[in-house]
Amino acid sequence: MASATATIVQTVTQTVSVSPSATGSGDRAPAQGGVFEGLNPTHYDTKNPITLFVIQAILVIALTRILHWPLSKLRQPRVIAEVITGIVLGPSIMGRIPGFTQHIFPTASMPAFSLAANLGLVLFLFLVGLEVDLRFLVSNWRIALSVGAAGMALPFALGVGIAYGLFHQFREESGMEPISFGIYALFIGVALSITAFPVLCRILTSLKLLSTPVGVIVLSAGVGNDVVGWILLALCVALVNSGAGLTALYILLVAVGYCLFLAYGIRPVFVWILRKTKSIENGPTQGVVALTILLVLASSFFTNIIGIHAIFGAFMVGLICPHEGGFAIKLTEKIEDLISTLFLPLYFALSGLSTNLGLLDNGITWGYVVGVTAIAFIGKIAGGTVASRLNGLVWRESFTIGCLMSCKGLVELIVLNIGLQARILSTRTFTIFVVMALVTTFATTPLVVWLYPPWYQEKLELWKKGKINWDGTPLVATENLDQHPDQETDAASRILVYLRTDGLSSLFTIMSLLTGSRQKSHQRHIKVTEKRLSGNYTEDHLYFQRPLRVHGLRLVELTERNSSVMKVSELEDYASRDPIIKAFGSSVYGTARNVTMSGQTAVVPNHSFANTLVQRAANSRSQMILLPWSETGTVSEVPSSFDQALLGANIDPLANKDFERLVTSVVDEARQTCAVGVYMDKSLLRIGSTGGGTASSPVIERATRQLSRTWTGVSMPDIHEDAGMLFRSSDCHGESQIRVLYTSNPDDLFAVRLALQLAKNGGVYVKIIEVVSVLAGTSNPPLGSGKEEHTSLRGLVTGLDDFSKSFVTIEEVTAGSTTDPEVLDKVIVNGPSETGDVTVLVGRGVHTSTSGSVASSTIVEKNNVLGPVAIALLARMKETKVAANMLVVQARMSAKGTEHGQGKVVAVRQESLHDS
């Protein structure tokens, strides 16, 4: 017993006292102390590869974003920054630092890095397939077939020619598979003839060419070019993997059969599942997203094991996904961010890591760099230009299409990487083609801007419509043929409305004034008809009422996301589903009469919002752009919870620098195109926080939610039924009151004309406060005296019919300044017999400096967007706690600074085009 005890004690002692080095490495738990136990983060551990991978990913993503910032100012796609990042981190630059590659990108770590990059590539090719809408190709198949075929045939033929020299010059280099010249020539031809559809779509959008004939042709041809290019690439890879003979034929037959199986077997079942789960109407559910990813991975697995690259299977699954109901866009939004921000930069960085500019070390190599780049340009530009010219386009349009088709972008780099992995290309030839891809992609945007500038597009459009000769000489009268002689006093019969989610309630209010309700318009029609039948109406007084034409424009910001580009390519379908356009159109059309409604969506960069509004107004010949003031405090339509939490309830939507810049850009650019109106609802003023509203301006304050003790001793929230937003209709508490503050500047005259137009709808009472300034004891002559009819205040009122004239009153006020408190009070405060909401029309007036009509310089400096008088009115409203709606207008001005008729716009443009 004693010996047994001694043996046990000895065994335990030996076990405890054994040194750590004596134990097997497989029996000991890995160190958990990290760097505190001497861990080297840059040492690659096959059992824990995440540490070094994180370092690699951080370097790639951060450097890509840093390089993309200056390149984005030159309108360059992000793929250029991603490839340059790889070149910088690769052997060309950072790899020359001793120890950098061995510690950051060691050879042992590249399989894991390549796995993540290729997984991202598979998912990205699925997104590329989603972007390709075959319906677009079918609808424009004739011109797409001709331009696409010519744009591929010529560079393919030239590529086969230069492939002969490349093959015999570099075929002995290490890393190349012993393949025949035919396979090599096929690959080079594909590499030189392919076009990057995703990058192409983004360039067209940023240059605002998507809706032009150039954009339609390029997109149609790009879709066909993309599909044919991937098929030829799959054929090339199949030939490389199989060698030749029957094996290659088997691979191609199986691939064709698989494509048919996906199209006619898998797709109907997939669409049925989407309809059952209502994923088409409401967006993909999580289960549908999982099912789609499984299809992508399974398809990639199948095409990979039969000898075709895995990306072809992912691309095919993207093609079979439906585009109806915006399903493709919604699915892309679910998965694109992680792919584009993490996986895709890794893949293109991998391309850069395989690029060694140091191998371009002799004259013959640089000769091939120049030759390959020249063929890539000449082949695509010449092919696309000739085909476009044969389809009836002018030479400059045709050259623009050829330049756009020469864009290589990320698709070219994917093709090159496949060639490098399949050992069709050596590292030297791979580097030659990467340089070509970067040069052609970088040059596309500057070439298009030079060949097809906006002034030329406008001239070409007028020439095609037969309005000018090629030298810019007008061929037809430029007066507005749609304007009826009896409508001269109408300030705006065609209006472009900027549709915003947060501004819908404001837009409904102002549109109800512009259109009039069906009931009021019907009553007015009955009274006018009765007067005409009784003989009290002459033909001179008869008002011919044409429909008010309202065009709503919804602006969606173009971002770097693929889904944003897809919205552009599917713009017609996307606009028809937009709920804001539907809500605005149905509301206005349902409550008004004599209104023609239309709606449109534009996906443009944020900095192009103002220019887009002005251009669309010019194209639709709108007489006024109507802008609702932002209620969110930013240009974005979504309120910022951070700003609200930071500033609390004291946040002022009017103190909005971002939106001020947008409005300033619009009023400046539209000065010679059309009038501009900026509408602010009284709810934006936040008046009545202490004392509530007044009878003339009911601003009702809601009690805040507070915790109150109950008899149970538990704090409960004090919830009121009216805790939500409160909406009131102006029809419930009186007629609409329009007040116009009139001084001697053109903007005020336009405000009067617009107010008189509102009076014609019936039920809208207009009160014009005419300010006569007194300086040094003398008064200005009465405004309107000695002026022609329709060009002065009283001339405009005299031109109204008797029924409309009964709703208009003019009140003269003598004051030292327009911003005197007694003048402002007459504008915002209801009189004893007046009821209803007040809407103030005031001219912006910042372009004139008339005595007595300009506020103090402090007010002007505070806000030069709305104008001095509007700012003074806003300040007076807050001081007196009386709120009113406000519409600040700026009249369209001629080159000499005076207001003129809408019909002279075309003449002004034609003159500028002729000078160009």
Side-chain angles (χ1 to χ4, degrees), residues 119-141:
L119 177 61
L121 178 65
V122 167
L123 294 175
F124 177 74
L125 260 294
F126 165 67
L127 295 182
V128 172
L130 278 177
E131 286 188 40
V132 176
D133 191 353
L134 296 178
R135 298 176 302 175
F136 199 77
L137 177 62
V138 172
S139 60
N140 303 281
W141 70 272

Side-chain angles (χ1 to χ4, degrees), residues 552-853:
L553 181 61
R554 180 104 163 99
L555 295 179
V556 179
E557 183 180 1
L558 175 68
T559 63
E560 295 181 350
R561 290 183 169 92
N562 289 344
S563 57
S564 182
V565 178
M566 293 172 69
K567 292 175 184 177
V568 175
S569 60
E570 302 179 23
L571 196 56
E572 293 182 0
D573 291 342
Y574 181 76
S576 64
R577 298 189 306 269
D578 191 283
I580 305 303
I581 294 179
K582 287 184 175 180
F584 179 74
S586 61
S587 175
V588 174
Y589 186 76
T591 59
R593 65 186 299 268
N594 290 330
V595 180
T596 302
M597 292 292 305
S598 62
Q600 193 175 13
T601 300
V603 184
V604 294
N606 189 281
H607 61 81
S608 297
F609 275 19
N611 182 259
T612 302
L613 285 166
V614 177
Q615 280 192 352
R616 295 296 171 90
N619 294 338
S620 61
R621 294 194 297 170
S622 297
Q623 295 167 309
M624 185 172 73
I625 299 175
L626 185 59
L627 306 172
W629 192 267
S630 170
E631 298 178 7
T632 63
T634 62
V635 176
S636 171
E637 300 177 14
V638 181
S640 173
S641 57
F642 174 78
D643 291 341
Q644 291 179 351
L646 187 65
L647 300 177
N650 295 322
I651 184 172
D652 185 5
L654 297 179
N656 185 342
K657 297 301 181 184
D658 290 338
F659 198 76
E660 283 180 15
R661 283 190 287 269
L662 173 63
V663 176
T664 303
S665 300
V666 172
V667 296
D668 288 344
E669 293 187 30
R671 191 175 296 275
Q672 297 184 16
T673 302
C674 64
V676 179
V678 182
Y679 183 78
M680 288 165 289
D681 190 86
K682 63 183 180 182
S683 61
L684 294 175
L685 303 180
R686 306 287 176 86
I687 292 175
S689 58
T690 58
T694 65
S696 62
S697 179
V699 180
I700 298 177
E701 293 295 315
R702 296 188 302 267
T704 57
R705 290 171 179 256
Q706 297 179 351
L707 294 177
S708 57
R709 290 282 181 176
T710 65
W711 63 273
T712 60
V714 180
S715 294
M716 299 291 290
D718 184 16
I719 301 177
H720 301 275
E721 292 184 359
D722 60 347
M725 291 189 64
L726 180 65
F727 297 94
R728 296 187 64 179
S729 171
S730 59
D731 290 337
C732 297
H733 51 274
E735 299 288 353
S736 299
Q737 301 288 332
I738 304 294
R739 310 285 173 76
V740 185
L741 186 60
Y742 182 80
T743 62
S744 56
N745 73 61
D747 290 349
D748 290 346
L749 183 62
F750 178 81
V752 169
R753 293 175 56 205
L754 183 60
L756 298 182
Q757 178 182 338
L758 302 181
K760 295 176 184 178
N761 294 324
V764 178
Y765 289 89
V766 176
K767 183 178 182 180
I768 302 173
I769 293 93
E770 180 182 0
V771 180
V772 179
S773 300
V774 179
L775 293 176
T778 61
S779 60
N780 292 330
L783 297 175
S785 61
K787 294 186 179 181
E788 296 179 0
E789 189 175 345
H790 302 311
T791 60
S792 66
L793 172 59
R794 287 168 180 79
L796 289 170
V797 176
T798 303
L800 291 175
D801 58 80
D802 294 340
F803 180 79
S804 300
K805 199 181 301 182
S806 62
F807 290 93
V808 180
T809 57
I810 301 177
E811 179 179 349
E812 285 191 8
V813 177
T814 302
S817 171
T818 309
T819 56
D820 286 350
E822 58 270 17
V823 176
L824 301 179
D825 288 343
K826 286 184 176 295
V827 178
I828 61 177
V829 179
N830 273 336
S833 61
E834 295 173 326
T835 59
D837 285 345
V838 176
T839 300
V840 178
L841 264 69
V842 58
R844 184 166 175 257
V846 297
H847 51 278
T848 59
S849 181
T850 305
S851 299
S853 62

Side-chain angles (χ1 to χ4, degrees), residues 225-296:
N225 200 311
D226 225 14
V227 174
V228 174
W230 289 117
I231 293 174
L232 291 177
L233 181 64
L235 171 63
C236 185
V237 174
L239 292 174
V240 171
N241 291 338
S242 63
L246 290 177
T247 305
L249 179 60
Y250 292 154
I251 293 175
L252 294 178
L253 291 176
V254 172
V256 172
Y258 179 66
C259 293
L260 295 175
F261 172 70
L262 284 177
Y264 297 102
I266 299 298
R267 189 179 189 277
V269 177
F270 185 63
V271 172
W272 179 82
I273 294 175
L274 297 182
R275 296 192 183 279
K276 290 292 290 184
T277 58
K278 298 187 178 185
S279 295
I280 292 181
E281 300 89 344
N282 305 323
T285 63
Q286 192 177 61
V288 168
V289 173
L291 175 62
T292 307
I293 298 298
L294 286 175
L295 282 176
V296 172

Side-chain angles (χ1 to χ4, degrees), residues 79-231:
V79 63
I80 293 182
E82 291 167 347
V83 176
I84 294 177
T85 295
I87 294 176
V88 170
L89 296 176
S92 301
I93 300 179
M94 300 292 288
R96 297 180 181 271
I97 301 175
F100 177 82
T101 302
Q102 291 80 1
H103 287 86
I104 305 301
F105 294 99
T107 305
S109 70
M110 296 317 294
F113 189 88
S114 179
L115 175 62
N118 281 280
L119 177 61
L121 178 65
V122 167
L123 294 175
F124 177 74
L125 260 294
F126 165 67
L127 295 182
V128 172
L130 278 177
E131 286 188 40
V132 176
D133 191 353
L134 296 178
R135 298 176 302 175
F136 199 77
L137 177 62
V138 172
S139 60
N140 303 281
W141 70 272
R142 291 183 183 275
I143 194 166
L145 180 63
S146 58
V147 175
M152 290 196 72
L154 186 57
F156 188 91
L158 295 175
V160 171
I162 200 171
Y164 182 82
L166 289 169
F167 182 74
H168 290 88
Q169 181 68 35
F170 303 113
R171 66 176 178 177
E172 301 297 333
E173 292 188 351
S174 60
M176 288 189 66
E177 194 75 18
I179 57 177
S180 65
F181 171 71
I183 299 176
Y184 186 84
L186 175 63
F187 180 83
I188 298 298
V190 172
L192 289 174
S193 61
I194 202 165
T195 297
F197 178 78
V199 176
L200 192 62
C201 192
R202 185 173 297 279
I203 291 175
L204 288 172
T205 305
S206 64
L207 297 181
K208 300 180 182 178
L209 297 176
L210 201 69
S211 59
T212 64
V214 168
V216 173
I217 293 170
V218 169
L219 273 188
S220 304
V223 170
N225 200 311
D226 225 14
V227 174
V228 174
W230 289 117
I231 293 174

